[in-house]
Amino acid sequence: MQRSRSASKLARALGNRLPARLSAQPTRPTHAPHGTKTRKTKRSSAADVVLGYLSEHTARITDLDIAVRRDQPDAVHRMRVSARRLRSALKTFRGDPA
C-alpha cells in the first residue's frame, strides 16, 4: 500500500487555517496498537475512560481495514462489532442534557 502524496481533504479544505500541529500528516497511526490498553486507575476521570474506550474501538476499525480489504476470515464481522460498539458509545455519551 502506498501513502498519498496529496494533503488530506481536511487540510485542503482548511488551507492555512489548519493549526500547525495538525498540518503535518502523521507517518504512523496516532492511536495505540490494537490490544494495547490505556491504564485506568481509581483516579481516572469518566472522560478518560470514555475516550479510552472510543480510542480502542477506533483503533480496531483502523487496524482491521487491511484485513477486510484482503477478505480475511471474520474480518468484516470484527469490524462491524467494533463499529456497533463505537456507535453505541457515541450515542450513550453524546453529551446532550437529558
Side-chain angles (χ1 to χ4, degrees), residues 50 53-54 88-96:
V50 171
Y53 187 81
L54 296 174
S88 176
L90 289 170
K91 276 184 183 179
T92 302
F93 301 108
R94 67 177 172 238
D96 292 343

Side-chain angles (χ1 to χ4, degrees), residues 7-24:
S8 69
K9 287 182 182 179
L10 178 63
R12 288 193 307 266
L14 293 178
N16 62 358
R17 295 175 300 195
L18 187 66
R21 65 182 171 81
L22 299 177
S23 62

Side-chain angles (χ1 to χ4, degrees), residues 53-54 57 60 80-90:
Y53 187 81
L54 296 174
H57 288 288
R60 283 185 185 171
R80 291 182 71 207
V81 168
S82 286
R84 278 195 307 271
R85 288 179 178 170
L86 185 60
R87 186 172 52 241
S88 176
L90 289 170

Side-chain angles (χ1 to χ4, degrees), residues 34-65:
H34 175 58
T36 305
K37 295 192 179 211
T38 306
R39 185 175 179 159
K40 293 165 190 69
T41 65
K42 290 181 181 181
R43 295 191 184 271
S44 296
S45 69
D48 289 339
V49 174
V50 171
L51 289 173
Y53 187 81
L54 296 174
S55 178
E56 178 184 338
H57 288 288
T58 301
R60 283 185 185 171
I61 291 170
T62 303
D63 292 345
L64 285 166
D65 178 52

